[in-house]
Amino acid sequence: MDNLKKIVESNIGLVADISKSYFKFGYDDIFQVGCIGLIKAVQDFDVHKG
């Protein structure tokens, strides 16, 4: 769980930058969806798949 937190915190800026480019659709909503997507992606990532 600690690794998940570190990875998410390291990449939250990327989510924020991408969300800003969709500002006209509602930054907060896009940012929240992006954060949820980031968390799911980190949880599902498997380094052993190659």
Side-chain angles (χ1 to χ4, degrees):
M1 191 64 151
D2 191 40
N3 289 336
L4 171 71
K5 184 178 176 181
K6 286 181 185 178
I7 294 171
V8 170
E9 286 177 351
S10 297
N11 291 292
I12 203 79
L14 177 63
V15 174
D17 287 342
I18 293 171
S19 299
K20 287 178 188 175
S21 64
Y22 294 99
F23 184 75
K24 62 183 174 186
F25 299 111
Y27 173 76
D28 292 337
D29 295 334
I30 300 291
F31 182 73
Q32 288 177 1
V33 170
C35 289
I36 292 169
L38 176 61
I39 292 168
K40 286 183 178 182
V42 170
Q43 288 175 337
D44 293 342
F45 184 75
D46 185 9
V47 292
H48 303 293
K49 283 190 175 181

